[in-house]
Amino acid sequence: MSILSLQGISKRYGAIQALSGVSFDVPPGSVFGVLGPNGSGKTTLLGIVTDVLKADKGSFQLFGKTATAAERRKIGTLLETPNFYHYLSAWKNLEISASIKQRGKDDIERVLRICGLYDRRDNAFKTYSLGMKQRLAIAAALLGDPDVLILDEPTNGLDPAGIAEVRALIHDMAKAGKTIILASHLLDEVEKVCTHVAILQKGNLLLSGPVNEVIQRTDFVELAAGNN
Ligand code: ATP
């Protein structure tokens, strides 16, 4: 059973066709990259899957079912940077996120440990490096102990150290059995981090499949052009 299955998803904003009949399947346990240049429809696609946006056409299933609140609770999302309080500690910031999600202290401790921030839990957010700030954002997305994590451009705007930290965290979470769906405009990132990929261009799906199979295709470089 696929974690996420999309069939013919289309979305238009006025004159702009952001997505045209996109279909693909996300296997359980995969790190699934949605790859495409700016404006190719990645954020729109993640918005539809997370119920922020409605598709004009098409359908999708989560865990083999039409998504209801129960399926959505199994998904953690990081679509835009959370508004953390700069002068509050990481722990206090997560307490605020946890109260919204009705999660307790055990959950806060769990996600801080997963994200390697437990020892720095009492430090103010403003003292965190870029990579630590992003790891805290991922920790907040993990508060409900989701089976699936959806991340929009998780390394965007980070310094090289932060990029390495976030990629390592993605590896660790995948090893722990989570399915991860991430948008990226970097072919290199998808090759390093992902097991599967769907390539979007101007709202059209060019191809999808396991990364090691996709990169064997003779026309791969051409298809991925603009994604580097
Ligand atoms: P980026 O990395 O720049 O966010 P993307 O691949 O995530 O790009 P989308 O943000 O989904 O792509 O945008 C797809 C297309 O839809 C683009 O042409 C964009 O300008 C357009 N678009 C996105 N959101 C809106 C909106 N709210 N109103 C009008 N057009 C939009």
Side-chain angles (χ1 to χ4, degrees):
M1 182 196 56
S2 298
I3 292 291
L4 167 68
S5 178
L6 303 171
Q7 298 99 30
I9 297 286
S10 296
K11 175 76 181 173
R12 176 183 279 279
Y13 301 103
I16 297 168
Q17 189 71 44
L19 293 171
S20 306
V22 172
S23 307
F24 60 77
D25 283 85
V26 175
S30 57
V31 179
F32 196 101
V34 179
L35 175 68
N38 289 345
S40 56
K42 307 179 297 293
T43 301
T44 300
L45 190 70
L46 298 189
I48 288 169
V49 169
T50 54
D51 213 23
V52 176
L53 294 168
K54 285 266 169 284
D56 301 332
K57 277 195 221 153
S59 58
F60 70 92
Q61 292 82 41
L62 290 170
F63 311 100
K65 296 180 191 160
T66 303
T68 64
E71 281 75 41
R72 295 198 184 288
R73 271 197 292 277
K74 297 183 208 162
I75 296 188
T77 57
L78 177 54
L79 298 188
E80 50 191 49
T81 312
N83 289 319
F84 288 124
Y85 292 94
H86 287 228
Y87 289 91
L88 291 184
S89 68
W91 183 279
K92 286 273 175 213
N93 269 296
L94 283 190
E95 267 185 348
I96 294 166
S97 309
S99 69
I100 297 164
K101 295 182 182 175
Q102 299 179 319
R103 309 302 295 198
K105 282 194 164 59
D106 289 357
D107 219 31
I108 298 173
E109 183 174 333
R110 180 182 60 79
V111 299
L112 283 171
R113 287 194 190 282
I114 292 171
C115 296
L117 296 171
Y118 187 71
D119 292 345
R120 298 284 301 271
R121 65 191 179 281
D122 294 326
N123 295 108
F125 178 73
K126 69 182 172 77
T127 67
Y128 272 25
S129 67
L130 290 174
M132 291 166 77
K133 285 176 177 167
Q134 185 66 334
R135 283 190 281 141
L136 188 65
I138 293 173
L142 288 171
L143 274 170
D145 198 12
D147 298 328
V148 182
L149 200 57
I150 297 185
L151 308 169
D152 195 0
E153 303 266 7
T155 62
N156 230 13
L158 300 185
D159 50 19
I163 291 171
E165 288 167 28
V166 168
R167 288 181 181 172
L169 176 57
I170 290 169
H171 273 298
D172 290 348
M173 292 188 297
K175 252 195 186 155
K178 304 232 181 269
T179 301
I180 296 160
I181 302 170
L182 63 92
S184 177
H185 64 279
L186 301 169
L187 173 59
D188 169 63
E189 174 154 277
V190 167
E191 284 182 320
K192 285 201 174 99
V193 174
C194 298
T195 59
H196 292 69
V197 65
I199 303 181
L200 288 181
Q201 198 177 69
K202 294 184 184 156
N204 294 293
L205 179 75
L206 295 185
L207 78 163
S208 66
V211 169
N212 57 6
E213 285 177 22
V214 161
I215 59 176
Q216 302 290 332
R217 283 179 55 140
T218 49
D219 55 353
F220 173 66
V221 173
E222 202 181 313
L223 289 171
N227 297 317
N228 227 332

